[in-house]
Amino acid sequence: MHSKKIGFNSRLIHAGMFDDQFGSATVPIYQTSTFKFKNADHGAACFAGESDGYIYTRINNPTIDSLEKLVTSLEEGYKGIAMSSGMGAVNTIYSALLKPGDHMISTAAVYGPSRVVMEKHYSKYGIESSYIDTGDPDKMREAVQPNTRMLFIETPANPTMDITDLKEVVKIAREHNLITVADNTFCSPYLQKPLNFGFDIVFHSITKFLNGHADIVGGIIVTREKELHDILRPMMVNLGCNMDPHQAYMVIRGLKTLSLRMERSQENAIKMASWLEKHPKVAWVKYPGLPSHPKFELAKKQMNGPGAMISFELKGGLEAGKRLMNNVNLCILAVSLGGVETLIQHPASMTHSKMDMESRERSGITNGLVRLSVGIENVEDLLGDLDEAFEKV
Ligand code: LCS
């Protein structure tokens, strides 16, 4: 069932379902690498795309199909392509849609590996890229070159929480005939649907809010039109970054509670962001739900809520960051995000510690920056944990 007529919450439960032979009320796991053809002609028809029969799990699989249909329905797109990871999605997009001599414009604070793989590896094949403040449409226009082919946006960006105006991106892309790609990992389709703004491609690290339980790694791409899907899908198959059926089942299960999880995490995040903003050891808080966020009004327009990700800057810099990390108990000191458990991390001493300070600061990763992915625990317990940890800072 892929119906836009039923509501978002109903789609979370039903949009991935299909009629299996035993009438299972949940999507069955087809844990197989390969599928039996009825005969040689059937095999030939499957390969020719003239039959929708299954062939081989790297190419297609009913459980993975279900997840693809489900997320496509949530993002209101044409079709989905599930992946082994969010980076699988990034690489499928880069390698399928960019060729030597092309140029890509990307958000300056884009997820680190999305930039590293482009600058270190795709550059070897003559693909150029610029990393700019995509929150400023004038800067985006200035960055467009005759060979620009793609605008690759992450909003809110990880971990700076910078917000890009989706409508402006599409406007600029249409002026210059560019492909638009949105990393929607921080929002999930519960909060933001870039395809409805005219984006060509939306993708996720499914590891995060979509799965929501910090127990699998995966990714998914959804396109608005058939044309790009037909280019991206064979690239995923040939790169071999397919999802596994069991992994797809886990995500389908996790997705059922996406709205409930997002609502509860967001409720906690709103309280925590306000608490942090008043804390004497905090220099500033960047959360789309606070009027102090530079794009507060835009966030209200293009997101259905401020979400569950908060960044804040400690007055005490690097040392304060380490101390806070070493003294939390309930908040888990770990990378990743978007699960039911609250995670805290300090990019300068953890994920970005290998970057020199100047480049880090240029990307907005300041010494005292802390990122919180707020979960669904009792908020008073989370605040109590932070309060105790702050005392040691
Ligand atoms: N895009 C964003 C915005 C991400 O946050 C991540 C992972 C990815 C893409 C890549 O997805 P993956 O391959 O890991 O499924 N973000 C992580 C983070 O912030 N900490 O650990 C991973």
Side-chain angles (χ1 to χ4, degrees), residues 262-276 285 287 290 306-310 372-375 379 382:
M262 288 303 295
E263 279 162 23
R264 176 57 177 273
S265 297
Q266 182 172 267
E267 192 185 308
N268 284 351
I270 291 169
K271 288 181 185 152
M272 291 176 82
S274 309
W275 182 88
L276 284 164
V285 179
Y287 179 63
L290 290 176
M309 298 300 301
I310 305 173
L372 258 182
S373 168
V374 180
V379 72
L382 295 170

PDB file of all heavy atoms in Angstrom, residues 262-276 285 287 290 306-310 372-375 379 382:
ATOM      1  N   MET A 262       9.571  10.923  18.104  1.00  0.00           N
ATOM      2  CA  MET A 262       9.966  12.300  17.779  1.00  0.00           C
ATOM      3  C   MET A 262       9.259  13.292  18.703  1.00  0.00           C
ATOM      4  O   MET A 262       9.862  14.252  19.181  1.00  0.00           O
ATOM      5  CB  MET A 262       9.639  12.642  16.315  1.00  0.00           C
ATOM      6  CG  MET A 262      10.513  11.987  15.280  1.00  0.00           C
ATOM      7  SD  MET A 262      12.286  12.268  15.416  1.00  0.00           S
ATOM      8  CE  MET A 262      12.431  13.995  15.118  1.00  0.00           C
ATOM      9  N   GLU A 263       7.976  13.049  18.950  1.00  0.00           N
ATOM     10  CA  GLU A 263       7.219  13.969  19.799  1.00  0.00           C
ATOM     11  C   GLU A 263       7.821  14.023  21.202  1.00  0.00           C
ATOM     12  O   GLU A 263       8.033  15.087  21.768  1.00  0.00           O
ATOM     13  CB  GLU A 263       5.745  13.552  19.874  1.00  0.00           C
ATOM     14  CG  GLU A 263       4.965  14.022  18.665  1.00  0.00           C
ATOM     15  CD  GLU A 263       3.652  13.287  18.471  1.00  0.00           C
ATOM     16  OE1 GLU A 263       3.102  12.737  19.446  1.00  0.00           O
ATOM     17  OE2 GLU A 263       3.198  13.245  17.306  1.00  0.00           O
ATOM     18  N   ARG A 264       8.110  12.832  21.754  1.00  0.00           N
ATOM     19  CA  ARG A 264       8.630  12.782  23.121  1.00  0.00           C
ATOM     20  C   ARG A 264      10.060  13.349  23.197  1.00  0.00           C
ATOM     21  O   ARG A 264      10.392  14.125  24.095  1.00  0.00           O
ATOM     22  CB  ARG A 264       8.584  11.342  23.615  1.00  0.00           C
ATOM     23  CG  ARG A 264       9.180  11.105  24.974  1.00  0.00           C
ATOM     24  CD  ARG A 264       8.499  11.982  26.054  1.00  0.00           C
ATOM     25  NE  ARG A 264       9.087  11.638  27.340  1.00  0.00           N
ATOM     26  CZ  ARG A 264       8.645  10.647  28.098  1.00  0.00           C
ATOM     27  NH1 ARG A 264       7.602   9.940  27.743  1.00  0.00           N
ATOM     28  NH2 ARG A 264       9.255  10.388  29.239  1.00  0.00           N
ATOM     29  N   SER A 265      10.900  12.984  22.236  1.00  0.00           N
ATOM     30  CA  SER A 265      12.278  13.488  22.242  1.00  0.00           C
ATOM     31  C   SER A 265      12.282  15.006  22.097  1.00  0.00           C
ATOM     32  O   SER A 265      13.059  15.715  22.751  1.00  0.00           O
ATOM     33  CB  SER A 265      13.079  12.905  21.079  1.00  0.00           C
ATOM     34  OG  SER A 265      13.181  11.528  21.203  1.00  0.00           O
ATOM     35  N   GLN A 266      11.409  15.487  21.219  1.00  0.00           N
ATOM     36  CA  GLN A 266      11.339  16.924  20.963  1.00  0.00           C
ATOM     37  C   GLN A 266      10.860  17.674  22.204  1.00  0.00           C
ATOM     38  O   GLN A 266      11.388  18.731  22.539  1.00  0.00           O
ATOM     39  CB  GLN A 266      10.402  17.135  19.783  1.00  0.00           C
ATOM     40  CG  GLN A 266      10.252  18.561  19.359  1.00  0.00           C
ATOM     41  CD  GLN A 266       9.474  18.657  18.068  1.00  0.00           C
ATOM     42  OE1 GLN A 266      10.038  18.681  16.990  1.00  0.00           O
ATOM     43  NE2 GLN A 266       8.170  18.720  18.163  1.00  0.00           N
ATOM     44  N   GLU A 267       9.864  17.094  22.879  1.00  0.00           N
ATOM     45  CA  GLU A 267       9.340  17.708  24.113  1.00  0.00           C
ATOM     46  C   GLU A 267      10.488  17.841  25.130  1.00  0.00           C
ATOM     47  O   GLU A 267      10.663  18.881  25.769  1.00  0.00           O
ATOM     48  CB  GLU A 267       8.250  16.774  24.634  1.00  0.00           C
ATOM     49  CG  GLU A 267       7.368  17.297  25.710  1.00  0.00           C
ATOM     50  CD  GLU A 267       6.420  16.177  26.181  1.00  0.00           C
ATOM     51  OE1 GLU A 267       5.740  15.559  25.338  1.00  0.00           O
ATOM     52  OE2 GLU A 267       6.398  15.908  27.399  1.00  0.00           O
ATOM     53  N   ASN A 268      11.272  16.771  25.262  1.00  0.00           N
ATOM     54  CA  ASN A 268      12.421  16.808  26.174  1.00  0.00           C
ATOM     55  C   ASN A 268      13.454  17.837  25.708  1.00  0.00           C
ATOM     56  O   ASN A 268      14.014  18.589  26.513  1.00  0.00           O
ATOM     57  CB  ASN A 268      13.091  15.436  26.245  1.00  0.00           C
ATOM     58  CG  ASN A 268      12.305  14.439  27.083  1.00  0.00           C
ATOM     59  OD1 ASN A 268      11.343  14.802  27.750  1.00  0.00           O
ATOM     60  ND2 ASN A 268      12.720  13.177  27.064  1.00  0.00           N
ATOM     61  N   ALA A 269      13.698  17.847  24.388  1.00  0.00           N
ATOM     62  CA  ALA A 269      14.735  18.733  23.840  1.00  0.00           C
ATOM     63  C   ALA A 269      14.380  20.199  24.071  1.00  0.00           C
ATOM     64  O   ALA A 269      15.254  21.016  24.400  1.00  0.00           O
ATOM     65  CB  ALA A 269      14.929  18.457  22.351  1.00  0.00           C
ATOM     66  N   ILE A 270      13.095  20.541  23.910  1.00  0.00           N
ATOM     67  CA  ILE A 270      12.674  21.937  24.109  1.00  0.00           C
ATOM     68  C   ILE A 270      13.002  22.358  25.548  1.00  0.00           C
ATOM     69  O   ILE A 270      13.577  23.421  25.793  1.00  0.00           O
ATOM     70  CB  ILE A 270      11.157  22.100  23.794  1.00  0.00           C
ATOM     71  CG1 ILE A 270      10.917  21.913  22.291  1.00  0.00           C
ATOM     72  CG2 ILE A 270      10.616  23.439  24.281  1.00  0.00           C
ATOM     73  CD1 ILE A 270       9.451  21.774  21.873  1.00  0.00           C
ATOM     74  N   LYS A 271      12.698  21.463  26.512  1.00  0.00           N
ATOM     75  CA  LYS A 271      12.960  21.790  27.922  1.00  0.00           C
ATOM     76  C   LYS A 271      14.465  21.870  28.190  1.00  0.00           C
ATOM     77  O   LYS A 271      14.950  22.749  28.905  1.00  0.00           O
ATOM     78  CB  LYS A 271      12.333  20.728  28.833  1.00  0.00           C
ATOM     79  CG  LYS A 271      10.818  20.834  28.851  1.00  0.00           C
ATOM     80  CD  LYS A 271      10.200  19.807  29.770  1.00  0.00           C
ATOM     81  CE  LYS A 271       8.674  19.851  29.661  1.00  0.00           C
ATOM     82  NZ  LYS A 271       8.045  18.587  29.953  1.00  0.00           N
ATOM     83  N   MET A 272      15.209  20.951  27.591  1.00  0.00           N
ATOM     84  CA  MET A 272      16.654  20.920  27.846  1.00  0.00           C
ATOM     85  C   MET A 272      17.359  22.125  27.219  1.00  0.00           C
ATOM     86  O   MET A 272      18.273  22.703  27.811  1.00  0.00           O
ATOM     87  CB  MET A 272      17.261  19.614  27.338  1.00  0.00           C
ATOM     88  CG  MET A 272      16.802  18.442  28.187  1.00  0.00           C
ATOM     89  SD  MET A 272      17.376  16.885  27.565  1.00  0.00           S
ATOM     90  CE  MET A 272      19.031  16.832  28.238  1.00  0.00           C
ATOM     91  N   ALA A 273      16.912  22.513  26.012  1.00  0.00           N
ATOM     92  CA  ALA A 273      17.540  23.657  25.344  1.00  0.00           C
ATOM     93  C   ALA A 273      17.316  24.927  26.166  1.00  0.00           C
ATOM     94  O   ALA A 273      18.240  25.735  26.343  1.00  0.00           O
ATOM     95  CB  ALA A 273      16.972  23.811  23.937  1.00  0.00           C
ATOM     96  N   SER A 274      16.098  25.097  26.699  1.00  0.00           N
ATOM     97  CA  SER A 274      15.810  26.298  27.504  1.00  0.00           C
ATOM     98  C   SER A 274      16.638  26.276  28.787  1.00  0.00           C
ATOM     99  O   SER A 274      17.166  27.305  29.222  1.00  0.00           O
ATOM    100  CB  SER A 274      14.336  26.362  27.894  1.00  0.00           C
ATOM    101  OG  SER A 274      13.548  26.189  26.783  1.00  0.00           O
ATOM    102  N   TRP A 275      16.767  25.094  29.380  1.00  0.00           N
ATOM    103  CA  TRP A 275      17.555  24.952  30.622  1.00  0.00           C
ATOM    104  C   TRP A 275      19.027  25.303  30.340  1.00  0.00           C
ATOM    105  O   TRP A 275      19.659  26.048  31.090  1.00  0.00           O
ATOM    106  CB  TRP A 275      17.419  23.509  31.108  1.00  0.00           C
ATOM    107  CG  TRP A 275      18.109  23.188  32.393  1.00  0.00           C
ATOM    108  CD1 TRP A 275      17.585  23.332  33.641  1.00  0.00           C
ATOM    109  CD2 TRP A 275      19.427  22.650  32.556  1.00  0.00           C
ATOM    110  NE1 TRP A 275      18.504  22.910  34.577  1.00  0.00           N
ATOM    111  CE2 TRP A 275      19.647  22.487  33.946  1.00  0.00           C
ATOM    112  CE3 TRP A 275      20.439  22.286  31.679  1.00  0.00           C
ATOM    113  CZ2 TRP A 275      20.840  21.977  34.467  1.00  0.00           C
ATOM    114  CZ3 TRP A 275      21.632  21.787  32.189  1.00  0.00           C
ATOM    115  CH2 TRP A 275      21.813  21.636  33.576  1.00  0.00           C
ATOM    116  N   LEU A 276      19.534  24.765  29.251  1.00  0.00           N
ATOM    117  CA  LEU A 276      20.945  25.009  28.904  1.00  0.00           C
ATOM    118  C   LEU A 276      21.190  26.491  28.636  1.00  0.00           C
ATOM    119  O   LEU A 276      22.231  27.036  29.014  1.00  0.00           O
ATOM    120  CB  LEU A 276      21.328  24.187  27.664  1.00  0.00           C
ATOM    121  CG  LEU A 276      21.546  22.699  27.897  1.00  0.00           C
ATOM    122  CD1 LEU A 276      21.526  21.934  26.568  1.00  0.00           C
ATOM    123  CD2 LEU A 276      22.876  22.436  28.627  1.00  0.00           C
ATOM    124  N   VAL A 285      23.380  28.418  22.972  1.00  0.00           N
ATOM    125  CA  VAL A 285      22.723  27.163  22.591  1.00  0.00           C
ATOM    126  C   VAL A 285      22.204  27.345  21.171  1.00  0.00           C
ATOM    127  O   VAL A 285      21.673  28.413  20.837  1.00  0.00           O
ATOM    128  CB  VAL A 285      21.530  26.856  23.536  1.00  0.00           C
ATOM    129  CG1 VAL A 285      20.821  25.570  23.125  1.00  0.00           C
ATOM    130  CG2 VAL A 285      22.008  26.747  24.975  1.00  0.00           C
ATOM    131  N   TYR A 287      19.535  25.727  18.892  1.00  0.00           N
ATOM    132  CA  TYR A 287      18.415  24.789  18.799  1.00  0.00           C
ATOM    133  C   TYR A 287      17.297  25.490  18.013  1.00  0.00           C
ATOM    134  O   TYR A 287      16.921  26.615  18.365  1.00  0.00           O
ATOM    135  CB  TYR A 287      17.951  24.403  20.212  1.00  0.00           C
ATOM    136  CG  TYR A 287      16.770  23.460  20.223  1.00  0.00           C
ATOM    137  CD1 TYR A 287      16.862  22.186  19.674  1.00  0.00           C
ATOM    138  CD2 TYR A 287      15.541  23.849  20.767  1.00  0.00           C
ATOM    139  CE1 TYR A 287      15.773  21.321  19.666  1.00  0.00           C
ATOM    140  CE2 TYR A 287      14.445  22.995  20.763  1.00  0.00           C
ATOM    141  CZ  TYR A 287      14.573  21.726  20.211  1.00  0.00           C
ATOM    142  OH  TYR A 287      13.492  20.880  20.205  1.00  0.00           O
ATOM    143  N   LEU A 290      14.518  27.564  19.733  1.00  0.00           N
ATOM    144  CA  LEU A 290      14.765  28.740  20.580  1.00  0.00           C
ATOM    145  C   LEU A 290      14.780  30.001  19.707  1.00  0.00           C
ATOM    146  O   LEU A 290      15.417  30.004  18.643  1.00  0.00           O
ATOM    147  CB  LEU A 290      16.133  28.629  21.268  1.00  0.00           C
ATOM    148  CG  LEU A 290      16.291  27.569  22.363  1.00  0.00           C
ATOM    149  CD1 LEU A 290      17.741  27.540  22.848  1.00  0.00           C
ATOM    150  CD2 LEU A 290      15.341  27.828  23.529  1.00  0.00           C
ATOM    151  N   PRO A 306      10.972  21.638  16.099  1.00  0.00           N
ATOM    152  CA  PRO A 306      12.407  21.906  16.176  1.00  0.00           C
ATOM    153  C   PRO A 306      13.286  20.666  16.321  1.00  0.00           C
ATOM    154  O   PRO A 306      14.506  20.755  16.214  1.00  0.00           O
ATOM    155  CB  PRO A 306      12.528  22.808  17.404  1.00  0.00           C
ATOM    156  CG  PRO A 306      11.328  22.500  18.237  1.00  0.00           C
ATOM    157  CD  PRO A 306      10.234  22.070  17.312  1.00  0.00           C
ATOM    158  N   GLY A 307      12.699  19.499  16.582  1.00  0.00           N
ATOM    159  CA  GLY A 307      13.490  18.264  16.615  1.00  0.00           C
ATOM    160  C   GLY A 307      14.182  17.999  17.936  1.00  0.00           C
ATOM    161  O   GLY A 307      13.903  18.649  18.962  1.00  0.00           O
ATOM    162  N   ALA A 308      15.091  17.049  17.907  1.00  0.00           N
ATOM    163  CA  ALA A 308      15.681  16.525  19.147  1.00  0.00           C
ATOM    164  C   ALA A 308      17.198  16.683  19.203  1.00  0.00           C
ATOM    165  O   ALA A 308      17.850  16.063  20.032  1.00  0.00           O
ATOM    166  CB  ALA A 308      15.295  15.054  19.290  1.00  0.00           C
ATOM    167  N   MET A 309      17.752  17.504  18.302  1.00  0.00           N
ATOM    168  CA  MET A 309      19.199  17.712  18.299  1.00  0.00           C
ATOM    169  C   MET A 309      19.509  19.115  18.827  1.00  0.00           C
ATOM    170  O   MET A 309      18.909  20.092  18.393  1.00  0.00           O
ATOM    171  CB  MET A 309      19.750  17.580  16.870  1.00  0.00           C
ATOM    172  CG  MET A 309      19.554  16.219  16.255  1.00  0.00           C
ATOM    173  SD  MET A 309      20.344  14.881  17.175  1.00  0.00           S
ATOM    174  CE  MET A 309      22.062  15.390  17.165  1.00  0.00           C
ATOM    175  N   ILE A 310      20.453  19.186  19.760  1.00  0.00           N
ATOM    176  CA  ILE A 310      20.849  20.478  20.345  1.00  0.00           C
ATOM    177  C   ILE A 310      22.364  20.583  20.291  1.00  0.00           C
ATOM    178  O   ILE A 310      23.071  19.612  20.592  1.00  0.00           O
ATOM    179  CB  ILE A 310      20.440  20.564  21.846  1.00  0.00           C
ATOM    180  CG1 ILE A 310      18.946  20.307  22.018  1.00  0.00           C
ATOM    181  CG2 ILE A 310      20.854  21.881  22.465  1.00  0.00           C
ATOM    182  CD1 ILE A 310      18.507  20.215  23.488  1.00  0.00           C
ATOM    183  N   LEU A 372      24.045  17.227  21.645  1.00  0.00           N
ATOM    184  CA  LEU A 372      23.140  16.343  22.396  1.00  0.00           C
ATOM    185  C   LEU A 372      22.099  15.791  21.442  1.00  0.00           C
ATOM    186  O   LEU A 372      21.475  16.548  20.691  1.00  0.00           O
ATOM    187  CB  LEU A 372      22.382  17.179  23.425  1.00  0.00           C
ATOM    188  CG  LEU A 372      22.756  17.184  24.879  1.00  0.00           C
ATOM    189  CD1 LEU A 372      21.766  18.069  25.632  1.00  0.00           C
ATOM    190  CD2 LEU A 372      22.778  15.802  25.499  1.00  0.00           C
ATOM    191  N   SER A 373      21.912  14.499  21.459  1.00  0.00           N
ATOM    192  CA  SER A 373      20.796  13.885  20.746  1.00  0.00           C
ATOM    193  C   SER A 373      19.849  13.428  21.846  1.00  0.00           C
ATOM    194  O   SER A 373      20.153  12.507  22.604  1.00  0.00           O
ATOM    195  CB  SER A 373      21.301  12.694  19.923  1.00  0.00           C
ATOM    196  OG  SER A 373      20.203  11.950  19.463  1.00  0.00           O
ATOM    197  N   VAL A 374      18.722  14.108  21.954  1.00  0.00           N
ATOM    198  CA  VAL A 374      17.857  13.906  23.116  1.00  0.00           C
ATOM    199  C   VAL A 374      16.921  12.710  22.892  1.00  0.00           C
ATOM    200  O   VAL A 374      16.278  12.597  21.852  1.00  0.00           O
ATOM    201  CB  VAL A 374      17.046  15.197  23.409  1.00  0.00           C
ATOM    202  CG1 VAL A 374      16.145  14.999  24.620  1.00  0.00           C
ATOM    203  CG2 VAL A 374      17.992  16.371  23.626  1.00  0.00           C
ATOM    204  N   GLY A 375      16.877  11.860  23.891  1.00  0.00           N
ATOM    205  CA  GLY A 375      16.049  10.657  23.830  1.00  0.00           C
ATOM    206  C   GLY A 375      14.719  10.833  24.526  1.00  0.00           C
ATOM    207  O   GLY A 375      14.239  11.954  24.731  1.00  0.00           O
ATOM    208  N   VAL A 379      12.652  13.718  31.452  1.00  0.00           N
ATOM    209  CA  VAL A 379      13.511  14.887  31.239  1.00  0.00           C
ATOM    210  C   VAL A 379      14.181  15.352  32.535  1.00  0.00           C
ATOM    211  O   VAL A 379      15.323  15.818  32.526  1.00  0.00           O
ATOM    212  CB  VAL A 379      12.732  16.031  30.531  1.00  0.00           C
ATOM    213  CG1 VAL A 379      11.717  16.680  31.446  1.00  0.00           C
ATOM    214  CG2 VAL A 379      13.693  17.053  29.959  1.00  0.00           C
ATOM    215  N   LEU A 382      17.358  13.533  32.936  1.00  0.00           N
ATOM    216  CA  LEU A 382      18.396  14.021  32.012  1.00  0.00           C
ATOM    217  C   LEU A 382      18.978  15.336  32.519  1.00  0.00           C
ATOM    218  O   LEU A 382      20.200  15.531  32.533  1.00  0.00           O
ATOM    219  CB  LEU A 382      17.806  14.216  30.608  1.00  0.00           C
ATOM    220  CG  LEU A 382      17.337  12.945  29.901  1.00  0.00           C
ATOM    221  CD1 LEU A 382      16.565  13.285  28.634  1.00  0.00           C
ATOM    222  CD2 LEU A 382      18.529  12.038  29.568  1.00  0.00           C
TER     223      LEU A 382
END
